[in-house]
Amino acid sequence: MEIIMEPSIMKINTLDRIVDHSLKKVPKIDLQGVKVWYDDFMAIKGIDMSVKQNTVTAFIGPSGCGKSTFLRMINRMNDYVDGFKMEGKIKIDGDNIYKKKVNVEELRKKVGMVFQKPNPFPKSIFENVAYGLKIQGIKDKDFIKERVESSLKQVALWDEVKDDLKKSGMALSGGQQQRLCIARTLAVEPSIILMDEPTSSLDPISTAKIEELIYQLKEKYTIVIITHNMQQASRISDYTAFFYLGELIEYDKTKKIFTNPEKTQTENYITGRFG
Amino acid sequence: MNNIRKNRWKDQVFKIWGIFCTLIGLVLLVVFIGDILIDGLTRINWDFITNLPSRKPENSGIYTALMGSIWILLLTTIIAFPIGVAAGIYLEEYSKKNRLSGLLEINISNLAGVPSIIYGLLGLEVFVRIMNLGASVLAGSLTLSLLILPIVIVATREAIKAVPSSIKDASYALGASKWQTIWHQILPASGGGILTGVILALSRAVGETAPLIVVGALAYVPFVPQSPLDEFSVLPIQIFNWISRPQAGFIENAAAAIIVLLAITFVMNGIAVYFRNKWQKKWK
Amino acid sequence: MQKIKELVIERALLASSLITIAVTLGIVLVLSIEAFQFFSEVSIFDFFTDTQWTPLFTEKHFGILPLLSGTLLTSFIAIAVALPIGLTISIYLSEYAPRSFRKTIKPILELLASIPTVVYGFFALIVVTPFLQQFIPSLSGFNSLSAGIVMGIMIIPYISSLSEDALHAVPRSLREASFGMGATKLQTAFKVIVPAASSGIIVSIILAISRAIGETMIVAIAAGQQPRLTLDPTVPVETITAYIVQVSLGDVQHGSLEYRTIFAAGITLFVFTFLLNTISYKIRKKYQKKYE
Ligand SMILES: Nc1ncnc2c1ncn2[C@@H]1O[C@H](COP(=O)(O)OP(=O)(O)OP(=O)(O)O)[C@@H](O)[C@H]1O
Ligand SMILES: [Mg+2]
């Protein structure tokens, strides 16, 4: 099997060794030779990368370098963009998700996504969390109720909203909205969660809560997160990938990237000398 | 007078002229409605609403015309609403930027500017003659449906466009299909805007006269349509008919019928504005 | 299963939007087939040069010019009323009026455009004509003057609203630049804002003209039904649209030459408005790009 990881990444701490065993050497997400175009503009210029199960991977890099584009490849959110073209393979649990017969809706249930700006539906809190289940055709009311409750509990929002689940999701504070959006994603039980700058529009306290949440979610989910905040990347992620102009410049353990990067570009970026 | 003062003075003069022009529209609106109220208000009573048309102005009523208008309104809604909204959804959510979508767009924009009487000629030939529906309520409704289709489509597109794309993204990201996203998220979120446009379009249909005359709607119908294939009249045609008569009594009738027609039009416009305001608040 | 459902829905939606193409094709086909048969009996040369239009008389003439002149005369009067007033309103509302005033007045003015045209016809015939007769005793009961004036009032909001949108879309920075050089609001409006919004204003004027040419009930009620090649606004005339109404009200045999005249008249009207609409669409597309 093609594992494109440096030996240095493979055995640094015990956690990784356990993960490697459970994986039977198949990475959770495996991206091979990914190239992306918007019309004639090449946004991703050929990237190989693999992400391990139950880890948090941070994508960093200057604005416009293609982080969001690359992230959205993993749940095929770029499919609807006018002029989108791609090359390469993206495998999740060993299966190429860009094969013809792949059911995109099924894929997205497995790969959840949280966006930069909290985007609750203009519906009640309950309906927001239940939406993913309802569109799967689940009608069992008790099951839905239970799942809504457990999802809201996971994001520590339950106690704050349990008395007015009928209230519009848009009436919550920004931080609460974002946790609601995460709960909504958890409700469909994905195995991967993609987050595109999930805290960039939040205040420091809400940000801290979400970071805490991400740390806990790692036990059950594989998380990929884009952030412009270097402290955040170093606090919450196990691995960090640095992108620049559509290319993956460096990808390694977070500790390594932030203490002893291989490339000067990486060093310059994380020390704030450009970007 | 120096230059600066002259310019200031010109500025003031234009401002007054601007206020004058703006108010003249309003004044005319008031004069206009006031005059019609004076002419027609005394004529309005329950008999006027429930009487059949008659040769004597004082016995004449608008019953059949009013019922005809209601028939037209209902049938036109049933036909134009689903087709117009469906086409709007297609253009906004499905069609890719290509020759077909460009053609559809310029075509709809052109249709919106085709004079209503031309739709009458189309309806006369296609619905009345070829489809052999005769001068029926159905033929009239089909004609008016085509007439308001571009308005409904444009309004639907505008309303859908106003829904933030983040809502769509969120729905897709949870595994919803395209249609599920449209049905569960986009349509509820744009419903107020779509409704506004549809009601405005229908209020236009209620006031249309010329295409229905061409289709063959009658000025004198002594019965209320019982089925979509019956002959009919509508309020505007009744009004037109009364205006064309020389007796003063019919002019009074026309004014009274105009009051009813304007009331319907303004109520529909009011409802539309209400929905628009309610809906716009949602996104602020 | 889900996939099939999605596909069926997409096809149904596509079919709905294709109906609009069918409508256009229908209009063009119906008008041209009937007009073609008309022109197999009447020479196209006569149609455009004969100065009389008397298809309903025993001595038949088929010259469209009197109907055209009636249409253009009433439209011209309407535009002459609506253009200065509509433009002034748009400039006043966009450059001078307080925000709250603009927001209340615009929908009220737009109410003018939502009044059914048969109502305007009543107003022109019963109120405006008698009123004008006090000053112009020779004014006949049916005339293009009152019809044109009332039609002008009706289309004021077409010009004022669309032009105001265009003026309002001009970036604030342009205004500030002009004020910064000591220009008054008036100078700024006419030297900077109006030129910058010119394409939008032109579009609104073209649409208003197209609307006036196609207007039916006001002219059918107040301008008369006497086709006449004249520029005199005080006498009865007949427009293309009014003629179609006149024939429709009578009992004309399907397939007769009289029946076909309304399609020949209709295609003339359609060609005019089609050209105007296409021009305005092209300008609008170009102008949208400018601000993107
Ligand atoms: N829908 C699109 N159509 C055309 N070009 C696009 C589209 N989306 C992104 N791009 C271009 O692709 C490049 C990468 O964009 P992307 O959004 O992935 O960057 P990013 O790294 O996420 O930036 P940021 O940090 O600002 O979010 C940019 O140059 C952008 O302009
Ligand atoms: Mg981004």
Side-chain angles (χ1 to χ4, degrees):
Chain A
M1 302 251 86
E2 325 97 7
I3 300 183
I4 315 164
M5 259 182 276
E6 302 293 323
S8 62
I9 303 177
M10 287 189 53
K11 30 193 143 134
I12 289 208
N13 64 25
T14 40
L15 177 78
D16 286 340
R17 247 172 273 142
I18 294 163
V19 169
D20 279 351
H21 279 293
S22 69
L23 274 173
K24 295 185 214 86
K25 296 205 171 164
V26 178
K28 184 70 189 170
I29 313 170
D30 190 9
L31 304 113
Q32 302 167 357
V34 176
K35 296 177 184 165
V36 178
W37 292 263
Y38 294 117
D39 292 316
D40 296 334
F41 173 73
M42 193 170 184
I44 300 292
K45 298 173 182 163
I47 293 182
D48 297 307
M49 179 182 208
S50 56
V51 173
K52 289 197 230 171
Q53 191 160 352
N54 297 83
T55 57
V56 175
T57 303
F59 286 2
I60 61 170
S63 206
C65 66
K67 304 179 297 292
S68 298
T69 301
F70 195 58
L71 190 76
R72 290 161 66 95
M73 292 303 293
I74 302 173
N75 65 346
R76 296 190 57 168
M77 282 296 278
N78 288 329
D79 284 18
Y80 298 120
V81 176
D82 264 338
F84 162 76
K85 277 196 305 273
M86 64 98 54
E87 243 177 49
K89 281 185 187 159
I90 298 179
K91 292 182 178 175
I92 291 181
D93 297 329
D95 295 323
N96 185 359
I97 60 169
Y98 280 87
K99 269 193 314 221
K100 260 238 165 89
K101 57 176 190 195
V102 166
N103 183 330
V104 183
E105 285 83 37
E106 286 300 326
L107 166 73
R108 297 207 183 109
K109 281 170 206 160
K110 220 159 91 179
V111 188
M113 185 163 217
V114 178
F115 299 83
Q116 178 169 0
K117 262 179 69 190
N119 54 354
F121 299 126
K123 300 186 174 214
S124 71
I125 293 170
F126 185 89
E127 289 295 329
N128 261 281
V129 185
Y131 179 69
L133 301 172
K134 287 191 174 165
I135 56 171
Q136 291 181 25
I138 296 171
K139 300 234 160 65
D140 184 344
K141 287 217 172 98
D142 292 329
F143 174 81
I144 294 178
K145 259 191 205 151
E146 236 165 69
R147 189 63 77 71
V148 168
E149 181 175 339
S150 68
S151 305
L152 286 170
K153 275 181 176 157
Q154 278 192 75
V155 299
L157 196 58
W158 178 251
D159 291 330
E160 291 162 56
V161 302
K162 65 171 180 246
D163 294 324
D164 34 22
L165 290 174
K166 289 222 170 70
K167 200 165 83 171
S168 167
M170 293 172 82
L172 298 171
S173 76
Q176 286 175 322
Q177 284 187 9
Q178 195 62 307
R179 277 183 285 152
L180 176 65
C181 292
I182 297 175
R184 181 173 71 180
T185 306
L186 299 181
V188 292
E189 300 206 312
S191 62
I192 299 171
I193 301 177
L194 309 173
M195 299 182 164
D196 193 343
E197 304 181 43
T199 62
S200 68
S201 66
L202 304 181
D203 63 280
I205 293 174
S206 306
T207 301
K209 279 191 185 162
I210 302 242
E211 285 185 10
E212 167 76 25
L213 176 61
I214 291 170
Y215 192 78
Q216 289 166 8
L217 292 176
K218 185 167 78 169
E219 283 179 23
K220 283 171 73 181
Y221 307 91
T222 306
I223 296 173
V224 183
I225 178 172
I226 296 178
T227 178
H228 280 284
N229 179 333
M230 293 307 116
Q231 278 89 35
Q232 182 169 68
S234 63
R235 275 196 301 266
I236 61 175
S237 68
D238 305 305
Y239 296 94
T240 295
F242 171 62
F243 294 84
Y244 185 59
L245 293 179
E247 286 179 282
L248 177 61
I249 303 298
E250 192 167 353
Y251 174 43
D252 212 326
K253 295 229 71 157
T254 297
K255 216 193 240 159
K256 173 92 171 28
I257 294 268
F258 281 90
T259 52
N260 186 18
E262 300 278 330
K263 306 269 168 57
T264 41
Q265 278 169 310
T266 316
E267 186 174 356
N268 287 345
Y269 180 71
I270 56 183
T271 53
R273 252 171 278 169
F274 89 96
Chain B
M1 234 182 346
N2 68 25
N3 233 337
I4 291 181
R5 273 174 77 192
K6 206 160 109 196
N7 283 335
R8 281 246 182 88
W9 185 78
K10 276 192 200 161
D11 202 45
Q12 286 306 310
V13 169
F14 182 83
K15 190 173 169 181
I16 291 164
W17 167 238
I19 295 174
F20 173 77
C21 284
T22 310
L23 292 184
I24 206 159
L26 298 187
V27 168
L28 284 169
L29 195 66
V30 171
V31 165
F32 192 17
I33 290 175
D35 182 78
I36 284 170
L37 284 178
I38 291 169
D39 282 353
L41 207 51
T42 53
R43 185 64 186 83
I44 291 192
N45 52 37
W46 191 243
D47 284 344
F48 183 69
I49 307 286
T50 57
N51 275 5
L52 301 180
S54 150
R55 229 167 301 144
K56 290 200 193 116
E58 59 279 11
N59 293 340
S60 269
I62 54 169
Y63 188 60
T64 50
L66 188 61
M67 288 303 140
S69 280
I70 292 173
W71 264 97
I72 286 280
L73 191 61
L74 290 178
L75 283 182
T76 306
T77 312
I78 293 172
I79 300 162
F81 181 66
I83 298 178
V85 173
I89 294 172
Y90 182 82
L91 289 172
E92 207 49 45
E93 291 296 324
Y94 286 86
S95 90
K96 305 239 161 56
K97 268 191 203 144
N98 57 22
R99 296 249 303 277
L100 178 65
S101 68
L103 181 68
L104 282 167
E105 195 154 320
I106 185 168
N107 181 52
I108 288 167
S109 148
N110 246 316
L111 280 180
V114 171
S116 59
I117 199 158
I118 301 284
Y119 284 94
L121 292 175
L122 175 70
L124 172 65
E125 195 77 352
V126 174
F127 302 131
V128 178
R129 307 266 184 227
I130 298 176
M131 287 172 65
N132 214 2
L133 297 174
S136 62
V137 189
L138 184 58
S141 304
L142 284 166
T143 305
L144 290 187
S145 297
L146 299 187
L147 172 75
I148 64 169
L149 205 52
I151 314 178
V152 177
I153 294 175
V154 171
T156 302
R157 294 190 64 179
E158 292 298 318
I160 290 180
K161 224 181 261 169
V163 177
S165 65
S166 62
I167 301 277
K168 268 192 266 178
D169 283 350
S171 177
Y172 288 136
L174 287 169
S177 67
K178 194 149 194 169
W179 180 247
Q180 283 175 325
T181 300
I182 291 170
W183 185 251
H184 293 291
Q185 300 298 343
I186 297 177
L187 286 183
S190 58
I194 294 176
L195 220 52
T196 305
V198 171
I199 295 172
L200 286 178
L202 288 172
S203 102
R204 160 114 192 255
V206 173
E208 276 298 341
T209 322
L212 294 180
I213 291 178
V214 176
V215 166
L218 302 175
Y220 174 79
V221 182
F223 53 83
V224 171
Q226 300 297 317
S227 88
L229 292 175
D230 285 346
E231 295 185 315
F232 71 106
S233 183
V234 289
L235 265 182
I237 292 185
Q238 181 70 75
I239 293 166
F240 175 55
N241 177 259
W242 278 336
I243 295 174
S244 328
R245 307 258 193 119
Q247 298 102 308
F250 281 118
I251 298 301
E252 210 180 299
N253 282 0
I258 284 175
I259 295 174
V260 177
L261 180 62
L262 281 182
I264 297 174
T265 314
F266 287 168
V267 165
M268 290 178 82
N269 275 274
I271 295 173
V273 169
Y274 169 78
F275 277 120
R276 177 163 58 204
N277 289 343
K278 212 174 121 183
W279 172 70
Q280 275 174 348
K281 267 192 208 119
K282 203 158 163 181
W283 301 121
K284 280 187 184 144
Chain C
M1 199 50 223
Q2 183 69 22
K3 278 261 152 74
I4 296 172
K5 187 180 152 198
E6 294 276 328
L7 196 69
V8 170
I9 288 172
E10 178 170 351
R11 288 290 150 82
L13 298 177
L14 171 64
S16 301
S17 65
L18 290 179
I19 286 180
T20 60
I21 305 251
V23 174
T24 304
L25 283 180
I27 290 174
V28 171
L29 279 180
V30 163
L31 292 180
S32 31
I33 289 173
E34 292 288 346
F36 182 77
Q37 301 200 345
F38 172 81
F39 286 118
S40 67
E41 290 179 57
V42 175
S43 103
I44 233 178
F45 181 78
D46 287 350
F47 186 70
F48 284 112
T49 54
D50 196 330
T51 56
Q52 287 184 62
W53 177 262
T54 55
L56 306 177
F57 295 171
T58 30
E59 207 213 300
K60 297 187 191 321
H61 284 273
F62 298 96
I64 193 79
L65 286 179
L67 295 185
L68 257 185
S69 74
T71 301
L72 295 180
L73 180 61
T74 47
S75 303
F76 177 81
I77 296 170
I79 296 298
V81 170
L83 187 58
I85 297 183
L87 270 188
T88 307
I89 292 177
S90 67
I91 294 171
Y92 173 74
L93 288 183
S94 138
E95 305 301 312
Y96 289 83
R99 228 175 85 93
S100 56
F101 183 71
R102 198 184 83 227
K103 282 182 93 173
T104 28
I105 222 75
K106 248 181 120 178
I108 296 178
L109 280 176
E110 279 164 14
L111 216 54
L112 279 174
S114 72
I115 293 176
T117 53
V118 69
V119 180
Y120 279 108
F122 175 92
F123 194 58
L125 183 72
I126 309 292
V127 181
V128 176
T129 296
F131 176 75
L132 290 177
Q133 275 169 337
Q134 295 171 5
F135 310 97
I136 317 171
S138 66
L139 190 71
S140 47
F142 297 108
N143 61 78
S144 45
L145 186 61
S146 355
I149 291 175
V150 170
M151 197 149 89
I153 296 169
M154 180 191 77
I155 57 179
I156 285 175
Y158 285 79
I159 296 183
S160 69
S161 259
L162 288 175
S163 296
E164 205 270 337
D165 291 343
L167 292 168
H168 206 74
V170 174
R172 255 206 89 65
S173 56
L174 271 182
R175 284 186 187 85
E176 278 157 6
S178 171
F179 292 147
M181 293 183 321
T184 61
K185 278 188 173 173
L186 186 67
Q187 289 169 320
T188 306
F190 278 96
K191 298 227 166 80
V192 180
I193 312 297
V194 170
S198 59
S199 33
I201 294 173
I202 291 170
V203 165
S204 81
I205 296 169
I206 296 176
L207 286 180
I209 296 174
S210 157
R211 188 81 183 73
I213 289 179
E215 171 47 37
T216 308
M217 293 320 289
I218 299 177
V219 286
I221 291 171
Q225 302 190 331
Q226 298 174 27
R228 167 184 333 223
L229 187 55
T230 176
L231 293 180
D232 181 353
T234 64
V235 296
V237 294
E238 183 163 48
T239 64
I240 296 178
T241 52
Y243 174 73
I244 298 175
V245 166
Q246 185 192 0
V247 172
S248 302
L249 285 172
D251 235 350
V252 170
Q253 202 55 44
H254 167 61
S256 65
L257 188 58
E258 287 84 0
Y259 178 80
R260 290 191 179 126
T261 55
I262 58 175
F263 292 89
I267 201 167
T268 315
L269 177 67
F270 179 74
V271 168
F272 262 88
T273 51
F274 181 83
L275 286 179
L276 289 171
N277 293 337
T278 307
I279 294 170
S280 80
Y281 181 83
K282 289 271 152 68
I283 299 177
R284 205 160 60 212
K285 275 284 136 180
K286 230 168 100 187
Y287 149 88
Q288 270 174 1
K289 280 204 194 100
K290 197 170 98 186
Y291 276 105
E292 260 166 18

